Every structure is written in C-alpha cells, then in structure tokens.
Amino acid sequence: MALLQISEPGMSTAPHEHRLAVGIDLGTTNSLVASVRSGVAEVLVDESGTALLPSVVHYSSDRDPQVGAQALEHTAADPLNTIASIKRVMGRSRQEIDSASEYVPFQFEQDNANVPRVKTAAGPRTAVEISAEILAALKARAEQSLGGDLVGAVITVPAYFDDSQRQATKDAATLAGVNVFRLLNEPTAAAIAYGLDQGAEGVIAVFDLGGGTFDISILRLRKGVFEVLATGGDSALGGDDFDQAIAQWWLQQSGLQAASDHQLMRSVLTAARQAKEALTAADQTTMQVALPDGDSVKQVLSREQFDGLIKGLVKKTTVACRRALRDAGIEKSDVTEVVMVGGSTRVPLVRKDVETFFGRSAHTGIDPDQVVAIGAAIQADILAGNKSGDEMLLLDVIPLSLGIETMGGLMEKIIDRNSTIPLARAQEFTTYKDGQSAMRIHVLQGERELVSDCRSLATFDLTGLPPLVAGAAKIRVTFQVDADGLLNVGAQEVNTGVAASIEVKPSYGLTDKEIETMLQDSMAHAKDDMEARSLREQQVEADRVVEAINAALEKDGRQLLNAAELAQITTSRDQLIDVRNQAGDPDQIKSAIKQLETISEEYVARRMNASVRSMMQGHKVEEFQP
Ligand code: ADP
Ligand code: MG
C-alpha cells in the first residue's frame, strides 16, 4: 500500500479548541496509546507509569475481565482463561484457523459458527470482543490522562492485513466505543514517527521484530507518497523464540526435564525473558529459577553465549529481508533508510546484523516499542483537526485490483490496484439474455483475467429487473472503498432504479505472501491470460450470435426464408457452434461469426423491412414524419 498526501478541506477547527485524539498500536504481544500534547507526540502511561499494556485478557465467571499486567498474572494458574496473542486470529474464519500451520494458543468452542469463539470462564468470546477489551482499557487510560472524552483514534494494523482483518479491527473499536479516524499500516506509522514522510525521495526498509511476529516492509517514498513495494517476514518468529532458546539452554545446563512440567517451564521462560532483556544493556546476567520443590537454580549467561543461542534465528530475519528486497525488485544499495520497530530490535545482535546486512545505520532514536503508536498519534492529531488547514493527510492505496465477473468467466476490473483511497468508481453493464430479470454480481479481487484465477470476495443478486431485450437494461455497478480499504459494492438499474448492494467483509483472509504470489502470478501469466481472455470473449460473442439467430429463426424464419436459404443459415450456424466448442483460437471463432453474419445479412434486412411494415400498418406515412 502507498500513501498520498492531500489536504482535506473542512477538517480544521479553531486553534483554541484542542480535540483529544490518540494513536493506538494494537499489538500481538503489547499495545500502546499515544497522543500529541503541546505539539509533542508521547505515549500515555498508566497509574504505575507503565506505557506497554500486555495484549492479554483474563476472563473469570464472577467478575469483569482484567486486561494487561493484571491479566498476565493469571497465566500460570489459569492459562485457559488468560487470552494472549488474539491478534493472530482477528478476522480469521474457523476454517482458516483449522487449516493454519501455526499453533494458535486457544481453545475454541466446537460449534458451527463461522466466526470462531474462544472458550472462556465467562462464556464464548470472539476475537473482536477480546480485542475490544484491550481497546477499552487503552481508551480509559487515555481519557484519564488527557482529562476528557476522545474525539477519535488512529489504529495501526500490519501492512498485509486484508479487508476482513481490518474490518475486525474496526468492529473491535466500535465495540469499545472508540471512534476510528482511520486504520494505518504499522510500517507507515513508524516512518511517519521519524518524519520520513517530510523527507527526500527514497526506499525505506521497516524492520519490525516483536514478541511473536517478524515483519519486513519495503516502502518507496516518492513525491510525498509511500508505496509498499513488498512485505515479508515470519508470523512465527520473535522475541518469544529468543526466550525459548535461552530456556532450552537452561534446561540442558541444569539437567532438568521440563517438557511435562508446565509450571516449571513457565518459570524458566519468565527467567529467560528477564535474562534476555537484561543482556541488552549488560554483558552478563544471572538467571535464577525457582524449582517446584522450593530449591532454586542459578545460571550465569553471557551476552556472547546468548548471541550464539539466537544466531540462527537472527539469520532468518536477514534472509527474509533479502527475499523482500528481491520481491520489491530493488538492490540493497537502493535502500536509503532503515527503521527499527518492535521490542526485540533492542537485542544488540539483531541491530548489528540488520545494520551489517543493509550496510547502513538504522533509525533507533525513538523507543522501538513506541514508534508505531507515536506515528499513529501524529496522524490522529492531524485528523482531529488540531493542525493548521494546509496540513497534509496520508492516504493509502489498495493492494489488489477489484472487479466483477462478466460473461464467460472473465474478471472485469473496476478499481485498479494501487489506486489511492478513499475512492468510488462506477461502470455500466447490461443484461445478456432477452427478458433477463435478475443479475448475479460476483465481486472479485486479483490481477488475473479469468475468474477462476482471482479471489472471490462476495456475490449478491440484483432482482426485479424489467424484462427488456438483451443489452437494453443499464446496470450501473459502483465500487466504493473507504479510507480503511473496506469495500461497498452497489448495483442499480438506471431506468427503474431497482438496486442492491453489499458490504464486503470477506470471511477469509489473504496473507502478505498470498498477495505477493497473486501479483507475481499475474505477471507470469500476463500473456496466457490475455489469450484466454480473448478466447472467452469470442466464445461469449459466438453464443450471443447463435442465440440471436435461433430466436429470429423461430419467430419468422419460415415466413421470410425459402428452404435453401434456411439451410444455408443453419449450416453456417452449426459450423459456428462447432468452431466455438473446439477451436482454441479466438480468430477462428471470429471468422466463423463473421461468416454467419454475412450469410444472414439478407435475412436481417428482410426482417427489418417486415418489422417496419408491420409497425406502419394502419398508419399514414406522414404520421411518422417530424
Ligand atoms: P508486539 O509487536 O509483538 O506486540 P513488542 O514490539 O512489544 O511486541 O515486542 C515484545 C518483545 O520485545 C518481547 O519478546 C520482549 O521480550 C522484547 N523486549 C522488550 N524489551 C527488550 C529488551 N530490552 N531487550 C530485548 N528484548 C526486549
Ligand atoms: Mg508491534
């Protein structure tokens, strides 16, 4: 996705009236809220001065859910009701979760609902409801620390989030009573936090290593527009894996087996995480783990040993960077800025390897946990109208083309990929058959020419059309994409006003990899696709011609044609049908159509005359003159 700067008229308000707006980083592991105060963006802390809110919710049957550090305390004693990493299943369908290769740490209700619900002591909860608890906690914190009601928020999402994941995020905000100005891509927010949107043209690599996920985004900045050239990463790689590596080492050193002992494993992991974070500043640290029998085991871990334990994991991140650069079609030396995001980029080895890989020093000046929330807060401040009228807004573009299915299984693009949003586009279509009273609108996403190669988003029917001859009905199909990339498709018959519409909230999503694959496929198959398309188009045209000639022959063939003429036309028609069904070459079908048309010319002329005659019967010629 890319960004475009525009100024939005009528958004600014009187300068004295500061409207309270926040940026929210709704993370997999941790969430934050930030706001611009006296011109400076800063994260908002809770009563104990902590900025990070663990993205964890604890449910109990006899009280309201707890969120954050309080919830986290229940992890060991009540793991099944302590819900973490809910972001991984946002906007995902039951089927998708079941078929996902990565492990999802929840127990779902075994029902047939398409939206999966997590089992909790307080009853089943959807991912949207669980995320809403986190957003509500952040909203409460913000209103308390800013001293008033929020006007709205900018919430960040990964660049690869699709429509349904974005919609789920918005739904969670609505449930939490948070007005969403817009959703913003996380890497874009980080780039904004460093003011890179104000800078010169260039290529920006945003390296985001969090607790459980790794995202690399390659953005191109040109004339104030950020375009996402590629996204990549690993949805199961992060600081948690560093903790695991230390824990395994500790178990080995102490000669203990923890595989079956969850309690011990949790204690080891907690100690491992503390050790890892300590080693960011210190050269060595002592890991102390309390054993169930009351003893405790101490181990000294040096930075050097730690680096050795995570070397392979860090290597994975630079391999993914190389892949993303290749997908973006650029060289390492084209990268002009590297931005570090996520708590795990504090690990010195990560920083060192990334800088070595890109051959330049990375932006690390802003706290890597906070940088996304800060960028979002800067956006929110502008959207709330706290800046002067000529301040710029950033807009995204849609990652894949959107369109509808037309006859012959072809994808007709209505909105091209990389169009800036929000936007609306309309196109007119018509009916294919005489007297057709309904039309099925099949909404598609993708770059390929054939429907079977695109992704189906939704279908809906436009019914109650006036029974007109083929081609006479005028159906206007409109596509509207709002600022968050959500799509509304409408269809209206222009003469009668008959209308139908659908809000597209697809029940399954695409990963960034799949989007890339779709784009690559469309390039690889461009030529085949064009050929397939023109073949289908000629087949559809052949069907239309055959259908028209059959309808005409049935009506007046016997009156207007002698037996020889009739035979000539039906033979030519049957030839066309054969060619249509057998030829793989659109030109052959085209010439068979042409042949039938030529042979039928005389017949068509006679039909015209006959119809004029019958129309004029009982009238004087003068009546038809102006
Ligand atoms: P997410 O984006 O997944 O919500 P964060 O960006 O908040 O996650 O990163 C959380 C991860 O950062 C955790 O694995 C945590 O242990 C790690 N982390 C936080 N502080 C440090 C530190 N000082 N040194 C090393 N790792 C750290
Ligand atoms: Mg994050």
Side-chain angles (χ1 to χ4, degrees):
M1 281 186 216
L3 297 157
L4 173 67
Q5 295 196 325
I6 57 152
S7 69
E8 196 155 317
M11 285 296 291
S12 51
T13 52
H16 61 271
E17 186 188 329
H18 184 84
R19 289 154 40 103
L20 301 180
V22 295
I24 293 176
D25 172 6
L26 188 60
T28 309
T29 319
N30 293 305
S31 295
L32 287 110
V33 56
S35 188
V36 174
R37 288 201 275 195
S38 323
V40 180
E42 57 189 20
V43 295
L44 305 176
V45 296
D46 65 9
E47 312 85 67
S48 64
T50 311
L52 286 182
L53 179 76
S55 302
V56 179
V57 181
H58 178 254
Y59 287 92
S60 141
S61 56
D62 53 12
R63 58 152 170 76
D64 285 343
Q66 291 178 332
V67 180
Q70 265 183 327
L72 204 55
E73 280 168 17
H74 298 279
T75 310
D78 190 16
L80 292 181
N81 289 307
T82 312
I83 317 296
S85 296
I86 195 66
K87 188 173 177 178
R88 288 184 184 276
V89 295
M90 282 290 270
R92 295 294 183 186
S93 70
R94 186 53 186 265
Q95 215 182 352
E96 270 178 314
I97 291 169
D98 289 347
S99 61
S101 51
E102 70 188 73
Y103 165 74
V104 178
F106 313 108
Q107 289 211 320
F108 290 103
E109 292 291 334
Q110 292 303 314
D111 53 16
N112 287 327
N114 188 41
V115 177
R117 298 185 304 165
V118 179
K119 262 189 200 167
T120 82
R125 292 288 186 275
T126 62
V128 166
E129 290 171 311
I130 297 167
S131 297
E133 296 291 347
I134 300 168
L135 288 171
L138 294 170
K139 178 183 189 232
R141 179 195 291 187
E143 292 187 334
Q144 177 140 39
S145 86
L146 297 173
D149 290 344
L150 291 186
V151 176
V154 167
I155 302 179
T156 58
V157 290
Y160 57 79
F161 253 29
D162 68 6
D163 276 357
S164 60
Q165 293 166 298
R166 285 167 199 263
Q167 182 64 51
T169 306
K170 283 192 90 179
D171 289 348
T174 305
L175 205 57
V178 174
N179 172 40
V180 182
F181 286 143
R182 60 175 307 149
L183 303 178
L184 182 66
N185 287 335
E186 288 162 11
T188 306
I192 291 170
Y194 280 105
L196 299 182
D197 53 322
Q198 309 294 318
E201 321 213 317
V203 176
I204 302 158
V206 181
F207 182 102
D208 181 351
L209 189 62
T213 56
F214 166 56
D215 298 317
I216 172 75
S217 311
I218 311 290
L219 313 176
R220 185 196 293 283
L221 174 67
R222 194 159 37 190
K223 296 198 186 80
V225 177
F226 281 115
E227 181 192 359
V228 176
L229 297 180
T231 61
D234 189 334
S235 58
L237 177 62
D240 297 348
D241 299 290
F242 297 172
D243 303 349
Q244 277 289 345
I246 297 177
Q248 294 307 331
W249 168 85
W250 184 90
L251 289 170
Q252 217 176 16
Q253 296 295 308
S254 57
L256 287 166
Q257 299 284 317
S260 55
D261 188 341
H262 286 278
Q263 196 91 22
L264 173 62
M265 195 58 199
R266 281 189 192 277
S267 314
V268 178
L269 280 171
T270 305
R273 181 173 176 152
Q274 283 161 357
K276 169 190 75 176
E277 296 182 3
L279 286 175
T280 286
D283 287 336
Q284 71 171 48
T285 185
T286 305
M287 235 180 116
Q288 183 162 0
V289 178
L291 299 182
D293 64 9
D295 280 359
S296 78
V297 178
K298 277 189 189 174
Q299 293 280 356
V300 173
L301 179 64
S302 72
R303 163 94 61 79
E304 216 179 321
Q305 281 172 300
F306 171 56
D307 286 354
L309 294 174
I310 62 167
K311 215 168 95 191
L313 295 167
V314 180
K315 177 81 188 159
K316 274 191 181 179
T317 67
T318 52
V319 168
C321 290
R322 189 183 306 281
R323 203 179 309 127
L325 287 175
R326 199 183 52 216
D327 291 351
I330 58 164
E331 299 294 325
K332 240 193 276 190
S333 55
D334 297 333
V335 175
T336 52
E337 315 272 354
V338 179
V339 175
M340 295 294 237
V341 181
S344 299
T345 60
R346 285 212 185 79
V347 172
L349 182 69
V350 171
R351 215 174 263 193
K352 183 170 142 276
D353 280 9
V354 171
E355 291 185 339
T356 306
F357 175 80
F358 285 104
R360 62 179 54 251
S361 63
H363 288 278
T364 54
I366 303 175
D367 191 323
D369 301 322
Q370 303 186 352
V371 62
V372 167
I374 285 182
I378 294 171
Q379 271 284 288
D381 189 49
I382 296 168
L383 288 166
N386 293 328
K387 292 276 181 161
S388 60
D390 58 352
E391 194 69 44
M392 298 297 171
L393 289 186
L394 293 145
L395 290 187
D396 287 318
V397 302
I398 48 169
L400 290 170
S401 300
L402 298 165
I404 65 170
E405 173 171 356
T406 58
M407 282 305 297
L410 294 174
M411 150 78 153
E412 180 70 28
K413 283 176 196 157
I414 295 184
I415 295 178
D416 285 327
R417 79 181 214 91
N418 274 341
S419 304
T420 48
I421 55 173
L423 89 169
R425 291 253 190 291
Q427 199 161 316
E428 268 180 20
F429 293 89
T430 190
T431 46
Y432 176 78
K433 277 207 167 93
D434 285 346
Q436 192 175 333
S437 67
M439 204 176 189
R440 167 149 299 178
I441 312 281
H442 184 189
V443 185
L444 301 163
Q445 185 178 40
E447 308 309 312
R448 305 286 299 274
E449 299 287 348
L450 301 186
V451 168
S452 49
D453 295 324
C454 289
R455 178 181 182 229
S456 171
L457 290 182
T459 54
F460 67 101
D461 292 333
L462 180 62
T463 52
L465 296 177
L468 297 170
V469 292
K474 269 193 190 162
I475 290 126
R476 204 176 149 75
V477 174
T478 46
F479 272 54
Q480 263 179 298
V481 183
D482 72 12
D484 304 311
L486 298 171
L487 173 65
N488 185 290
V489 180
Q492 185 174 37
E493 203 286 313
V494 175
N495 299 311
T496 54
V498 175
S501 72
I502 197 164
E503 173 100 10
V504 178
K505 293 184 192 178
S507 57
Y508 57 95
L510 288 178
T511 63
D512 50 342
K513 266 223 190 73
E514 286 166 316
I515 289 182
E516 278 165 39
T517 311
M518 284 171 85
L519 289 178
Q520 279 161 4
D521 279 358
S522 78
M523 286 176 233
H525 295 281
K527 188 160 170 287
D528 296 352
D529 275 10
M530 282 312 291
E531 283 164 11
R533 183 181 190 98
S534 49
L535 179 63
R536 291 281 178 97
E537 277 172 355
Q538 285 308 320
Q539 287 170 341
V540 170
E541 180 61 9
D543 293 345
R544 194 190 60 75
V545 171
V546 168
E547 208 154 308
I549 203 92
N550 283 344
L553 288 176
E554 193 172 317
K555 222 174 180 178
D556 52 26
R558 294 190 183 280
Q559 287 102 282
L560 299 178
L561 298 169
N562 64 36
E565 288 167 335
L566 185 62
Q568 207 190 8
I569 291 177
T570 50
T571 309
S572 172
R573 177 203 60 194
D574 293 345
Q575 265 167 5
L576 172 58
I577 294 173
D578 283 348
V579 173
R580 180 242 181 264
N581 290 336
Q582 279 153 29
D585 176 3
D587 287 343
Q588 263 177 291
I589 302 177
K590 206 173 182 170
S591 64
I593 292 173
K594 188 92 198 115
Q595 195 189 359
L596 176 58
E597 279 172 349
T598 312
I599 285 171
S600 315
E601 250 166 30
E602 172 60 24
Y603 171 44
V604 172
R606 281 184 212 165
R607 295 195 80 214
M608 212 110 97
N609 288 337
S611 102
V612 170
R613 262 202 308 282
S614 83
M615 204 173 81
M616 289 178 63
Q617 234 149 42
H619 296 275
K620 296 200 188 76
V621 175
E622 300 83 78
E623 287 179 48
F624 295 94
Q625 282 168 349

